[in-house]
Amino acid sequence: MLTALSIRNIVLIEALDLAFGPGLGVLTGETGAGKSILLDALGLVLGNRADSALVRSGEDQASVTATFEFAALPAPLKEALDDAEVEIEPGEPLLIRRRLKADGGSKAFVNDQPVGVALLRSLAGSLVELHGQHDDRGLVNPRGHRALLDRYADADVAGVTAAWESWRKAREALEQAEGAIEQARADQDLLLAHLSELTNIEPEEGEEETLANSRADMQKGEKLAGDLEDLRTVWDGSDSPLASLRVAARKLDRIAVEHPLLAEALAALDRAVIEAGEAEEKLQSAAEAMLHDPQELDRIETRLFELRALARKHSCQVDDLPEVMRTMRAKLDAIEQGDADLANLQKAERDAHEIYRGRAEALHATRVSAAMALDEAVAAELAPLKLDAARFKTAVADQPEEKWGPLGMDSVEFLIATNPGADFAPLNKIASGGELSRFILALKVALAEQGGAATVIFDEIDRGVGGAVASAIGERLARLASGTNGEAGQLLAVTHSPQVAARGATHYMIAKSSEGTVTKTSVASLDDAGRQEEIARMLSGAEITDEARAQADRLLEGV
């Protein structure tokens, strides 16, 4: 709730520090005293547009600081602060400061960390709910009506949300499968043609390297064919050097025993014959390896060309072609299997849809029943608030399936008709701000909750009424401020009604004073005697009489 408001140099306010507590706080003062300045100042820290005209005349800048404290930080506030990377420790107050320059421009801070004004606006809905002449938030905004009705009905929205998520996932799985099969069927003829082409060639992993090596060897053989032929003549025939060495070795073998040097010569000659023989064998093997067969070379080159052309066609390496074939076969198999899988997914989607629809219809019935009860509860509050000719209706409408969602299939909006026979219209279409505020009060009392905001402000809810109606308004404001489950809320009311003012747990008087050409607005928290005097003034006008004081006492004692 709002615990402190510090204002510096805003219009007629030079310096003002206010402390607020739980329960009903009332703000009173003569017309023109500056009550609207307080609301304008509070609006700055809630993200309203910064108008340099708010800066007090003769000052360079103005500032407003609001302090909010919570037993536990509400989830929406924590989420917004986390998203903005603003740190706040558990139990630490939330300080929002807005600084405004006279020459234009403003800066915003949350717990002394610079932030954008957009963050202030996102926090505002959980901090302060303002009902007044131009209210377009809180209960007036139709976007929150469904959640309010569900809270009133204690509806099982979580079960519908879970069913929606299951249906959404089943629907997505079905759509993906249908898309995949549709695409596969569109590609089926092309897949069959490509697979036939690959099957005719039947590529093998590692085949490219083997073929390339064989082609390289044959090309080398073709290049060296003349030299190899010349070398072959060295070894072939009876007149070849190798044959002559062998003849010499046989002759030397017969006489080697005659002298040691002859034996050594024989050994050297034998080695030469052996090595020459090894050389002959290697040359023969090399010639066979590099044998140039023009037909085989043409076959290898044709095969390589076909394989590489297919690899380019499928944007892959030659060695990847077998995997491409397997992938194509798998896609074709999936088309055949797809119908069976699709049937299972269709059944799962239908089942999930039916579960969601059943829960959403049950939620719809709960909402319709709760709407009737809420309409009766609000109707009971209208007559005491001088709205006995008005009618209230909670419209729960089925939406087309394309608008169904995790919160069900309904749209919910609070509607009112202010005169007999008049058509129902949204709350925010009401012409009279006083009527609107009293409708909001009646709705809040019927809902028995505080609309989600930490602090609720009613701006002149008692405009145009008095007597018993004003007393009824005050009684309901006090009841709302007392909270539920024993936990007091915080409600502030700007009022001209002594009956409402008498209900306040705290009373703030706003006054304007002048010293020469300088005019200032001040706010004072009143004690018991001050309250009696202020309420007496509200009862009697400019001149406070003893009778007015006595009547003020009766009002204060009556609460």
Side-chain angles (χ1 to χ4, degrees), residues 192-363:
L192 288 171
H194 285 169
L195 185 59
S196 175
E197 188 178 35
L198 286 166
T199 302
N200 289 336
I201 293 181
E202 203 64 43
E204 298 177 1
E205 293 181 10
E207 183 180 8
E208 181 186 26
E209 182 179 2
T210 301
L211 292 171
N213 289 339
S214 297
R215 183 182 66 172
D217 287 343
M218 295 183 72
Q219 288 173 336
K220 290 176 184 177
E222 183 179 21
K223 181 178 179 182
L224 299 175
D227 294 335
L228 291 173
E229 182 62 25
D230 292 342
L231 285 170
R232 188 179 63 79
T233 60
V234 172
W235 311 106
D236 289 349
S238 58
D239 295 332
S240 67
L242 182 55
S244 298
L245 282 174
R246 288 172 176 159
V247 170
R250 286 194 296 271
K251 290 181 178 180
L252 187 55
D253 182 59
R254 290 195 294 272
I255 62 173
V257 295
E258 301 296 332
H259 194 279
L261 290 175
L262 293 174
E264 292 178 5
L266 178 60
L269 191 58
D270 285 341
R271 288 196 298 274
V273 170
I274 291 171
E275 290 184 359
E278 291 177 354
E280 181 183 24
E281 291 176 0
K282 292 185 182 299
L283 283 170
Q284 182 63 32
S285 297
E288 291 175 357
M290 292 188 291
L291 179 64
H292 174 224
D293 182 350
Q295 291 184 342
E296 179 62 13
L297 179 60
D298 183 62
R299 185 195 70 80
I300 289 174
E301 289 184 332
T302 299
R303 178 74 174 173
L304 274 174
F305 175 81
E306 291 175 341
L307 289 171
R308 289 172 176 171
L310 281 175
R312 287 193 300 272
K313 184 174 185 178
H314 295 286
S315 301
C316 67
Q317 301 297 320
V318 172
D319 282 349
D320 295 331
L321 288 173
E323 179 60 28
V324 171
M325 292 178 63
R326 288 191 288 271
T327 300
M328 288 181 179
R329 290 192 179 104
K331 287 182 177 180
L332 290 169
D333 290 342
I335 294 174
E336 297 179 1
Q337 181 63 31
D339 289 338
D341 293 340
L342 196 62
N344 292 333
L345 290 171
Q346 288 170 338
K347 182 179 184 305
E349 191 274 339
R350 286 194 302 271
D351 291 345
H353 174 269
E354 288 305 311
I355 291 173
Y356 169 79
R357 187 186 188 100
R359 293 184 182 179
E361 288 176 346
L363 177 59

Side-chain angles (χ1 to χ4, degrees), residues 506-530:
T506 54
H507 190 148
Y508 305 91
M509 186 180 73
I510 304 169
K512 183 167 64 175
S513 61
S514 298
E515 295 181 8
T517 59
V518 178
T519 302
K520 297 180 181 180
T521 290
S522 62
V523 180
S525 178
L526 301 180
D527 58 15
D528 290 344

Side-chain angles (χ1 to χ4, degrees), residues 16-62:
L16 181 63
D17 295 291
L18 286 174
F20 299 95
L24 175 61
V26 294
L27 293 89
T28 65
E30 294 182 357
T31 300
K35 295 184 289 295
S36 63
I37 300 175
L38 284 177
L39 298 181
D40 289 340
L42 184 59
L44 281 176
V45 296
L46 299 177
N48 288 356
R49 187 179 67 86
D51 186 351
S52 58
L54 292 174
V55 180
R56 181 176 169 81
S57 178
E59 300 295 337
D60 295 331
Q61 65 178 21

